[in-house]
Amino acid sequence: MTTFEAGDITLHRVREHVWEMPPEGGMRVPARVFASEALLEEIADDRTLQQLRNTTHLPGIEKYAICMPDGHQGYGFPVGGVAGIDAENGCISPGAVGYDINCLTGDADVRLSFGRKMPIAELRERFEDEEAVVAGDELTESELRLFTESGEREVFEVETETGRTLRSTGDHPFLTPDGMVELDDIDEGDTVYVHPFEGIEHESPEEFTVLTEDDFADEDPQLVAFLKRHDLLPLKSTDEAFNRLLKLAGFHTGDGAFSGPQTWFYADSGDLETIREDVAALGFTPSRIYSRERDHEIDGNEFTRTEYSVKVGAHGFKQLLLRLGVPDGSKVESSFTLPSWFDRLADWQRALYLSAFFGAEMSEPSAVSNTNFYCPKVSQNRRTEVADAGEEFLRGIAEALDSIGIGTNEIERFEAETDETERLRLGVQSDAENLVRFFSTVGYSYSREKERKAALAVQYLRRKEHVIDRRAEIASEVETLADGGTPVSELKDRYDINERFVERSAWSGRSGRPRPPAGFPTFEEFCESTEVRENLTVPVEVESIEPAGVEPVYDIGVEHDAHNFLANGIVVSNCGVRMVKTNLTYDDVRGREEELVDALFEAIPSGLGGGGIVEGSGDTVEAALERGVDWCLEEGYAVESDLAHCEDEGRRPDADAAAVSKKAKDRGRNQMGSLGSGNHFLEVQRVTDVFDSAVGDAYGLEEDQVVVLVHCGSRGLGHQVCNDYLRDIEEAHSGLLSQLPDRELAAAPAGSQLAEDYYDAMCAAINFAWVNRQLITHRTREVFADVFGEPWEDLEMELLYDVAHNIAKKEVHDVDGEDRELYVHRKGATRAFPAGHPEVPKAYRDVGQPVIIPGSMGAGSYVLCGGSESMNVSFGSTAHGAGRLMSRTQAKDEFWGGDVRDDLRDTNQIYVKAQSGATIAEEAPGVYKDVDEVVRVSDELGIGDKVARVYPVCNIKG
């Protein structure tokens, strides 16, 4: 195989295990993938290659962007990605290092395409097939690229002044007038943006064939061939094209016409653009928008207005609409009713048709008095002989609305002004609750002005009803307290409300619901004072933010640059590994695995929540950020040899604690010495194979030896650092951001203040991660001493090595024969410097830096040494693990935690303990790629050479 095709990406084989994507379309350098053919098939299964291609657009990127053999889709930058970027003329990107995704509770309704909504938790099985609604410059739809599910986290309930609520983690961003702001930084009285249209709950439609070739038997075969070629024949109720046709058919029934083979639509110019988009999406070519002046007379008043129209010249389009039930000729004389298959549709599909018909024919929201509304009405004129069909048509609409809880008035039928013609009229009941449901679930399509007025009406009515509900609560409380003897004077002081209201509630009670207060605005005043943005979002004040317990949380990622979505109508939007040696053999541990795993699990905090080995005061966190493992040495948590066997001796001198936000420090304060969750773990292992005895001797490894692997990072502190700077960089360097194909690659230009600050903060987070792993090592030594009854020093529990993963470091590399300082971004990759490199610790300089590659808890891990070719082909880097094959959500569907745990114990004699069975399922051996294959590729490329293989004995997870 010399090429590999993955969608619109073609990879060319450069040599064994090296595949290249040549530069095109804005790529500054080629992209390279290091993989066998088997691994390449797995890498191509998600968006890894597209994300790698996007990475090549970063300014200053040198040589090529690289995906390691364990690569898989990340957020912006692929996991397993490496990029060397000029440290003087390039940039530094938090997205290429890694950061957290913030989350919502599972019941948050996400607005989807075609007027649907679905709880975010239910998207796990279908997110790749869905599009979410995004509030960009205009309301649009975007494919989903990620679905994440996390364990239980503390959540807060936000309630707006209109009564709308949403529960999220404190770090989830909400759209405000100042841009995206995390909930923790939003106060009561602040403004957020909402979209009042909610949509209808998704349900899978009944699948049936709407149109077949037989329906076009009398048409030109070329027309049939065209429709088949564009997947419009056969037309099924589950086709996306059918959903677009429902809207177009509904609107045309209201405000369209046929002329010969041509199909005409009449609407405002902006609305016609939307119609044109839907027509084009079906494979037809709409005309430009035509305009002409038309004279009109109503009640004796003459006036001129501009009429806009669009035509579709394709005869096949007209025939589609006709066979879908759109009337031909004079609608007044037609006997058309709703299509025969209309009742078989899902509620949201019926709403698509109706919303478009209402966009053409129904009156817009308007107030009959200061605070009450007319009922929206749709009217038709029909000749007397077909008036019964007109009534049937409106009755079908009423029944469809009733099925989704929207009440209508009786159909009115009376003689029209024209002889032998009857006027038929259907109105939506005008009580507030019914109107809100109508405007927020069906509303109007292809009519921007009506949509805008409906958005205002929903917000106004919700706010009004919310105020009345609160006044009713106060009235009830006042009446109860007054009956119990509380003086009215005291009640007047207790409630911030009109004194006369308190008196009436206390003395005479109330027979019905209260009215709005005297100063409540009229609908007209509300419209004048409330902005409706181009994307139809409106501002609303936050009324309360309250703790709401602990729940599992979820998030999605969208393709669109706006990087937001609608949830309940509200617009929302460092790691490493170390290995510790012992002088124990597997025989020393066998039979005591359960005792050991229980002791480790009890002693070392794990999971999503807080709690660490050290109680972190402000000074403690500052010291850890500034001095790294030096601080551990001073405090008695480390020995001198720990520093000697740690990358950079456990301290980044560029670290600046002042560059780390208070919020990040607070997140790290109670997590010092904790594993966290996800793929982080502590594993006791035995060495099963030594492939290179000379390097094995230098590393102090031999077969049957027991070692301990610790894989974790800087916990919430490092994630917060990335989040903080990502948002700042997006705002300060929007010009650079606009040149990149993915917003999540947001970067600060080298030499800018933000680039320097972020680098200093990231180095501080690296120090914190080293401290975290050192504290876990300290506690592990204590556990081993207790379990085996000997001091840890006598057990020779020395650190083999500690290497960081998700980082960007300033390093000197050869670029075109010249030494250049680069920001080497390694996201889910690890440094692998070869023998002789000055930054390799002296103890290992003759053989090369130790490289630790964790595998799954059922397949084992590897120790490598930095390969001789690493500096030439991979910026001194190699893979950092096996790499995931499936998402955590998919893993939990595929595996049952209890079964995985029992199988590992009974079949492999591996003892696993975790906070929950779900955590074990998420990390099941079948979730990961073949670590043997990943390491084979690394070894054969010469970027990381095999030294030893280790196999799990027992494992603890968050």
Side-chain angles (χ1 to χ4, degrees):
M1 182 188 296
T2 58
T3 61
F4 181 88
E5 302 290 337
D8 63 342
I9 292 175
T10 299
L11 296 173
H12 300 268
R13 186 176 180 273
V14 176
R15 61 179 185 278
E16 185 72 12
H17 305 322
V18 179
W19 304 83
E20 185 167 289
M21 191 189 310
E24 62 178 11
M27 294 172 62
R28 297 174 185 268
V29 294
R32 286 194 168 182
V33 181
F34 298 160
S36 63
E37 291 182 13
L39 288 173
L40 196 57
E41 293 282 354
E42 294 170 348
I43 288 171
D45 273 348
D46 56 27
R47 284 183 46 79
T48 304
L49 297 179
Q50 292 93 321
Q51 291 180 339
L52 184 67
R53 178 172 59 187
N54 291 343
T55 301
T56 66
H57 291 70
L58 287 166
I61 190 167
E62 299 289 353
K63 295 174 73 170
Y64 28 69
I66 302 170
C67 176
M68 291 296 168
D70 59 336
H72 56 95
Q73 175 177 310
Y75 211 52
F77 195 89
V79 179
V82 175
I85 300 176
D86 191 287
E88 182 177 351
N89 300 311
C91 63
I92 186 168
S93 171
V97 173
Y99 55 93
D100 207 2
I101 302 173
N102 310 298
C103 304
L104 306 170
T105 56
D107 59 351
D109 281 324
V110 176
R111 171 90 179 278
L112 303 175
S113 59
F114 299 117
R116 298 168 298 135
K117 64 180 179 181
M118 178 182 288
I120 190 170
E122 295 180 17
L123 281 168
R124 64 161 64 91
E125 300 298 333
R126 54 185 302 122
F127 77 95
E128 292 175 330
D129 301 320
E130 287 290 359
E131 291 185 338
V133 174
V134 172
D137 293 337
E138 295 182 346
L139 213 62
T140 187
E141 294 163 356
S142 171
E143 291 183 0
L144 303 184
R145 62 184 177 186
L146 276 181
F147 176 91
T148 66
E149 178 180 357
S150 303
E152 293 192 339
R153 290 182 60 184
E154 183 182 13
V155 296
F156 301 84
E157 181 171 274
V158 182
E159 183 171 7
T160 71
E161 62 180 326
T162 59
R164 185 172 297 199
T165 61
L166 178 67
R167 285 175 295 153
S168 81
T169 56
D171 50 5
H172 200 98
F174 287 62
L175 184 61
T176 75
D178 297 322
M180 283 294 183
V181 176
E182 292 182 6
L183 180 58
D184 282 341
D185 297 323
I186 295 175
D187 297 320
E188 294 177 5
D190 287 351
T191 296
V192 297
Y193 283 102
V194 302
H195 189 277
F197 184 87
E198 295 179 355
I200 293 177
E201 292 81 0
H202 170 81
E203 61 175 308
S204 296
E206 172 194 348
E207 182 172 326
F208 61 91
T209 302
V210 183
L211 296 175
T212 69
E213 287 187 52
D214 291 342
D215 293 304
F216 294 82
D218 56 348
E219 293 295 332
D220 188 324
Q222 290 186 344
L223 181 151
V224 174
F226 177 90
L227 296 178
K228 290 175 65 176
R229 190 162 60 250
H230 286 82
D231 295 323
L232 295 170
L233 275 184
L235 183 65
K236 293 186 177 181
S237 58
T238 51
D239 292 342
E240 181 175 313
F242 178 61
N243 297 329
R244 296 187 191 278
L245 284 165
L246 282 172
K247 293 173 61 182
L248 293 166
F251 190 87
H252 195 279
T253 298
D255 211 350
F258 296 116
S259 177
Q262 298 172 345
T263 304
W264 290 84
F265 294 90
Y266 302 94
D268 287 343
S269 58
D271 302 324
L272 288 172
E273 285 292 356
T274 309
I275 289 174
R276 292 180 77 252
E277 290 171 6
D278 278 338
V279 170
L282 294 171
F284 299 98
T285 303
S287 72
R288 63 179 177 84
I289 296 174
Y290 300 104
S291 64
R292 64 173 178 171
E293 301 298 314
R294 295 289 302 271
D295 295 328
H296 297 269
E297 180 181 342
I298 297 179
D299 298 331
N301 296 317
E302 296 181 356
F303 60 93
T304 300
R305 59 170 296 208
T306 304
E307 178 186 83
Y308 298 95
S309 59
V310 158
K311 73 174 179 181
V312 183
H315 185 57
F317 183 73
K318 173 184 177 179
Q319 295 305 319
L320 269 178
L321 293 188
L322 288 175
R323 284 161 177 79
L324 288 174
V326 174
D328 194 4
S330 170
K331 294 169 187 172
V332 174
E333 299 176 351
S334 173
S335 61
F336 74 90
T337 61
L338 288 171
S340 59
W341 36 257
F342 190 77
D343 287 342
R344 299 179 67 181
L345 303 181
D347 285 341
W348 59 267
Q349 289 180 307
R350 289 199 289 266
L352 281 178
Y353 177 95
L354 294 179
S355 68
F357 178 70
F358 295 154
E361 289 294 292
M362 182 172 274
S363 58
E364 69 178 26
S366 60
V368 65
S369 64
N370 285 345
T371 61
N372 297 316
F373 282 68
Y374 285 109
C375 62
K377 293 180 179 180
V378 60
S379 302
Q380 282 194 335
N381 285 347
R382 296 279 187 114
R383 299 284 291 180
T384 301
E385 60 267 25
V386 294
D388 287 347
E391 183 171 346
E392 183 182 343
F393 177 74
L394 294 181
R395 186 178 301 110
I397 291 175
E399 290 170 355
L401 292 175
D402 181 68
S403 72
I404 53 177
I406 297 169
T408 56
N409 299 322
E410 291 293 326
I411 296 172
E412 299 175 84
R413 182 169 172 175
F414 47 90
E415 288 186 6
E417 294 179 3
T418 305
D419 290 341
E420 299 182 354
T421 302
E422 293 189 35
R423 184 77 165 165
L424 299 111
R425 189 158 57 202
L426 175 69
V428 175
Q429 292 175 2
S430 60
D431 63 280
E433 183 179 352
N434 194 62
L435 287 179
V436 166
R437 182 157 181 81
F438 172 68
F439 292 141
S440 65
T441 60
V442 180
Y444 310 92
S445 294
Y446 298 141
S447 178
R448 182 173 183 80
E449 181 56 25
K450 291 178 184 178
E451 287 183 271
R452 191 185 74 82
K453 290 295 289 286
L456 288 166
V458 169
Q459 287 305 99
Y460 180 79
L461 289 169
R462 278 185 170 143
R463 182 177 170 190
K464 172 188 164 186
E465 292 304 300
H466 192 55
V467 168
I468 290 174
D469 286 344
R470 179 57 185 148
R471 288 167 69 82
E473 288 176 9
I474 293 174
S476 177
E477 291 172 10
V478 166
E479 184 177 5
T480 300
L481 291 170
D483 287 346
T486 304
V488 172
S489 59
E490 182 179 324
L491 294 174
K492 290 179 181 179
D493 293 335
R494 181 178 300 188
Y495 293 99
D496 183 19
I497 201 167
N498 180 276
E499 291 186 359
R500 177 61 182 148
F501 182 89
V502 174
E503 291 172 353
R504 290 188 60 200
S505 300
W507 293 333
S508 58
R510 291 182 177 275
S511 58
R513 296 186 77 217
R515 293 194 298 264
F520 195 79
T522 66
F523 180 57
E524 183 178 348
E525 290 169 340
F526 180 80
C527 292
E528 289 176 354
S529 63
T530 304
E531 172 199 20
V532 181
R533 304 203 305 169
E534 284 298 307
N535 57 23
L536 296 176
T537 58
V538 296
V540 62
E541 283 191 8
V542 173
E543 186 170 277
S544 65
I545 303 172
E546 299 290 343
V550 175
E551 293 187 45
V553 288
Y554 308 81
D555 201 8
I556 56 174
V558 298
E559 290 278 3
H560 196 274
D561 289 343
H563 190 56
N564 66 47
F565 59 97
L566 302 178
N568 288 3
I570 301 175
V571 186
V572 296
S573 159
N574 180 316
C575 159
V577 62
R578 64 165 43 192
M579 179 174 282
V580 178
K581 300 177 290 183
T582 76
N583 60 15
L584 295 170
T585 66
Y586 182 44
D587 283 342
D588 296 325
V589 176
R590 193 177 306 182
R592 308 185 70 176
E593 296 97 337
E594 198 158 358
E595 176 189 3
L596 183 58
V597 77
D598 286 346
L600 288 167
F601 190 79
E602 182 178 351
I604 297 171
S606 61
L608 278 164
I613 290 170
V614 171
E615 190 66 37
S617 66
D619 290 344
T620 298
V621 174
E622 293 275 336
L625 291 168
E626 292 278 359
R627 303 205 303 278
V629 184
D630 277 351
W631 173 82
C632 293
L633 180 64
E634 295 167 9
E635 297 296 321
Y637 300 116
V639 294
E640 289 285 353
S641 63
D642 291 333
L643 278 69
H645 295 156
C646 189
E647 181 178 337
D648 296 331
E649 296 187 341
R651 180 182 182 183
R652 292 294 301 162
D654 295 308
D656 183 0
V660 177
S661 70
K662 180 181 183 299
K663 185 172 184 178
K665 293 171 184 173
D666 288 343
R667 289 187 69 179
R669 191 186 306 276
N670 65 342
Q671 295 181 337
M672 292 182 65
S674 61
L675 277 177
S677 62
N679 66 339
H680 294 158
F681 62 87
L682 182 149
E683 190 168 85
V684 179
Q685 305 168 324
R686 59 188 173 100
V687 179
T688 57
D689 303 275
V690 175
F691 306 105
D692 188 319
S693 57
V695 180
D697 287 345
Y699 288 173
L701 295 175
E702 58 186 33
E703 289 186 8
D704 214 36
Q705 177 184 4
V706 170
V707 297
V708 181
L709 193 67
V710 179
H711 181 213
C712 65
S714 52
R715 297 296 317 274
L717 181 142
H719 290 146
Q720 189 63 48
V721 166
C722 275
N723 277 331
D724 289 341
Y725 280 95
L726 185 76
R727 305 311 169 200
D728 289 345
I729 287 169
E730 284 179 347
E731 182 176 345
H733 299 290
S734 57
L736 173 55
L737 179 61
S738 66
Q739 302 171 31
L740 299 175
D742 191 335
R743 189 178 186 86
E744 300 309 327
L745 290 175
S752 68
Q753 188 61 52
L754 268 177
E756 298 299 324
D757 290 346
Y758 171 60
Y759 188 73
D760 294 348
M762 183 186 57
C763 288
I766 295 170
N767 284 347
F768 189 89
W770 278 323
V771 168
N772 191 41
R773 291 193 288 275
Q774 183 63 46
L775 291 172
I776 292 171
T777 299
H778 171 75
R779 183 60 60 85
T780 301
R781 286 166 169 166
E782 292 180 333
V783 169
F784 269 70
D786 288 343
V787 170
F788 295 102
E790 296 183 51
W792 68 263
E793 293 88 349
D794 293 348
L795 296 174
E796 299 180 9
M797 295 186 72
E798 294 185 355
L799 180 64
L800 168 64
Y801 198 60
D802 184 308
V803 59
H805 286 168
N806 296 343
I807 59 172
K809 296 180 70 175
K810 287 181 182 178
E811 297 172 359
V812 175
H813 289 266
D814 181 282
V815 178
D816 298 330
E818 176 187 350
D819 283 346
R820 300 265 293 280
E821 186 175 54
L822 307 177
Y823 285 122
V824 179
H825 296 68
R826 297 185 179 98
K827 179 176 180 177
T830 187
R831 198 174 78 169
F833 284 177
H837 195 287
E839 291 191 41
V840 175
K842 290 181 181 178
Y844 306 131
R845 197 166 295 166
D846 290 342
V847 293
Q849 169 206 316
V851 178
I852 303 162
I853 308 290
S856 77
M857 58 188 173
S861 304
Y862 281 85
V863 178
L864 314 182
C865 66
S868 59
E869 293 299 309
S870 68
M871 300 303 289
N872 298 325
V873 301
S874 64
F875 298 106
S877 312
T878 191
H880 89 309
R884 294 189 73 90
L885 276 174
M886 63 179 71
S887 70
R888 301 188 187 283
T889 299
Q890 185 182 353
K892 285 187 287 190
D893 288 341
E894 292 273 340
F895 302 101
W896 184 254
D899 291 343
V900 173
R901 180 196 59 212
D902 294 345
D903 286 346
L904 287 170
R905 182 191 62 217
D906 298 340
T907 305
N908 304 85
Q909 288 74 55
I910 300 170
Y911 290 76
V912 177
K913 192 157 188 176
Q915 293 286 353
S916 69
T919 299
I920 296 176
E922 289 175 2
E923 297 298 310
V927 168
Y928 285 90
K929 297 175 183 174
D930 182 354
V931 70
D932 298 335
E933 184 72 356
V934 170
V935 168
R936 182 179 75 85
V937 171
S938 175
D939 183 72
E940 292 181 7
L941 282 174
I943 58 177
D945 302 335
K946 289 196 298 185
V947 176
R949 183 176 181 270
V950 295
Y951 192 75
V953 174
C954 59
N955 180 301
I956 67 170
K957 289 185 176 294

